[in-house]
Amino acid sequence: MSETAVKARGVAPSSEAGDANRWKALVFIALAQLMVVLDATIVNIALPSAQRDLGISDGNRQWVVTAYALAFGGLLLFGGRLADLWGRKRVFVTGLVGFAAASALGGAATTGAMMFGARALQGVFGALLAPAALSLLAVMFTDAKERAKAFGIYGAIAGGGGAVGFILGGVLTEYLDWRWTFFVNIPFAIVAASGAYFVIREPEGGRNRSPLDIPGVVLSTVGLVSLVYAFTRASDGWSDPLTVGLFIASAVFLLAFVVTETKVKAPLLPLRVVTDRNRGGVYLSLGIAVIAMFGTFLFLTYYLQVIKGYSPIKTGFAFLPMIAGMMTGSTQIGARLMNRVPARALMGPGFLVAAGGMFLLTQLEIGSSYASTVLPAMMLLGLGMGTAFMPAMSLATLGVEPRDAGVASAMVNTSQQVGGAIGTALLNTIAASATTSYVKDHIATATTKPQQQLVQMQGMVHGYTNAIWFAVGMLVLASAIAVTFVNAGKPDTTGVASGEGADAVEDAVPVFAH
């Protein structure tokens, strides 16, 4: 591609002529990504301790996860568009500073409501931070080989950061206090924001000057909030008037959002991004798979700490096989095969392998062995999801116009975050209902306090396994959608460049063929 053609598309000319500080900038962008990934896993490990200290009920505990995921997922498209309008570097630094402030608020929380509010604020600023970081990489690394290397480093930190988060969360919770799982974000954010401010030089001419689609922002956010809150309220009964009203409201707002996007000149989400068969299949299958995964993480944390009596740090180490499986599936299976076979040949089987791991977790009992049940389940879950996610990410911007590459990338994050919010709320509701029913049916036979405690614990595990059966079905459905909808051939035969968050359409030169 000629330098003239590149300039015409509003992208920095070439790797040699690009920003000399781009590799230094990558360090601070990757550090910000590490902070966001750490935050997700750290909070899961600390949640039982925080719930106990703040007096959060079992019915409301999922809001520590859901408030963050909902705000993040609901506002990602807005964050991506704001970065195009206001400047990627400015939005990136603002997101970091706001995330640090929200983390300080979460660490200082004295009530459940204060904690939920802090987590929602973290999600808001995370939604500014994430798309700005990806689009900065896209405009700073325009050479295909350099971009692949930069996104490879970025992705490795995202995967490895999960493992670090589990361990660090356990150490901080056990040896200091759960509050430090929030405070630890502050130094990360300060270093990343300072470095980004002084090192990043955003290329000129890459901004989108279209007006912001305010109706789209409002309708999509309200619609998604209503949807997830409806799933959360379902613990009071699916026929509860407020629950039904919330589902109806979410349908109305999201339908109005779709109609609005067809009429405005500069839509928040151009429908051409999601109506493509391959991209639509990726967004839908990933969202459904994440519904299964997020809730299960929550149950496993509680099973290991509350039922098995694991310490927070031991729980963190117990999750490592899943992270190892995910990294192996992503780097050794997905990355090696995605140039040789169609994406659906990896996504479909990958989700099925994860479903197999989830099936093992449906066999959990109070006395189940970690080595014989939880360990192989975690390894299969990680291996399957890692294998499926790698080609899915590569298809996220398949065939999009350069002006839509950022929003296409943001849609991947949106489907995961919204799926995670729905999954945590829905599976927690299923588990809570099953637990209540089990205890009600069996508590009469428990005449002593130890027997009553045993029934309570058996009820909790019964609730977990009931919800996990639902998760198995979700992963099988995700596999079926991937095989049915995703029909793209091998990346090196498509003639389309696709990179995570990249302005990815080069002149008939496939990125994977470089």
Side-chain angles (χ1 to χ4, degrees), residues 412-438:
V412 179
N413 286 314
T414 300
S415 65
Q416 291 183 65
Q417 292 298 328
V418 173
I422 291 174
T424 303
L426 177 60
L427 296 188
N428 194 69
T429 295
I430 294 171
S433 298
T435 296
T436 301
S437 177
Y438 183 94

Side-chain angles (χ1 to χ4, degrees), residues 141 322 410 413-414 433 450 452 484 510:
F141 292 90
M322 183 172 63
N413 286 314
T414 300
S433 298
Q452 291 172 351
T484 303

Side-chain angles (χ1 to χ4, degrees), residues 52-90:
R52 192 167 51 247
D53 282 2
L54 299 179
I56 300 171
S57 69
D58 285 350
N60 285 331
R61 69 187 177 198
Q62 87 272 5
W63 278 104
V64 177
V65 177
T66 301
Y68 174 82
L70 180 58
F72 196 1
L75 293 172
L76 266 168
L77 293 174
F78 169 64
R81 185 64 75 195
L82 193 63
D84 289 339
L85 293 169
W86 198 32
R88 299 173 182 91
K89 173 181 172 179
R90 186 181 297 175

Side-chain angles (χ1 to χ4, degrees), residues 285 344 347-352 474-484:
S285 61
R344 64 180 172 185
M347 292 176 65
F351 288 135
L352 284 182
M474 288 286 96
L475 285 170
V476 172
L477 178 59
S479 175
I481 289 171
V483 171
T484 303

